[in-house]
Amino acid sequence: MKKTPIGHVACPVCDFQDAQVKEDKNGHAYIHCGDCNAQTFTRNDFRNGKLRGRMRAVTVTVTDDTVTVTAPVPVPKAPEKPVPVLPPAKKPGGWLQPLLAQG
């Protein structure tokens, strides 16, 4: 049985901003990420409440015979800056310095 999303939240594994929040058979919310396919479950009422407080709810509009489901607008990610690669730092004096210090 396919579960319908009740909200969206950032994925805790890959940081995908539109991971779906769904309900399991016990009525607890869980996260399903469509990007990395991870599932994160809440096992008690405290965690369930925290997740439901963090999520962006899916809104449903009903007019006459038409049902419109509006998902939240995705937040654009900032472009990632390349990390500069630095050469390894050299120790002062080289490998011979400890031997010379012993005398």
Side-chain angles (χ1 to χ4, degrees), residues 35-98:
D35 198 37
C36 69
N37 208 28
Q39 293 179 339
T40 307
F41 292 90
T42 58
R43 300 291 185 201
N44 58 36
D45 292 333
F46 177 75
R47 291 180 184 169
N48 184 38
K50 287 287 191 180
L51 177 58
R52 288 178 186 265
R54 255 182 359 132
M55 74 177 190
R56 301 178 311 270
V58 173
T59 57
V60 177
T61 307
V62 179
T63 56
D64 298 331
D65 295 337
T66 308
V67 175
T68 305
V69 177
T70 307
V73 178
V75 179
K77 285 187 175 180
E80 295 183 18
K81 295 180 182 178
V83 178
V85 178
L86 301 175
K90 292 186 177 182
K91 295 180 181 178
W95 63 273
L96 189 58
Q97 188 66 27

Side-chain angles (χ1 to χ4, degrees), residues 18 74 92:
D18 288 328

Side-chain angles (χ1 to χ4, degrees), residues 13-25:
V13 177
C14 70
D15 204 31
F16 179 62
Q17 293 298 314
D18 288 328
Q20 296 177 345
V21 178
K22 300 178 181 181
E23 283 186 342
D24 65 3
K25 64 182 181 180

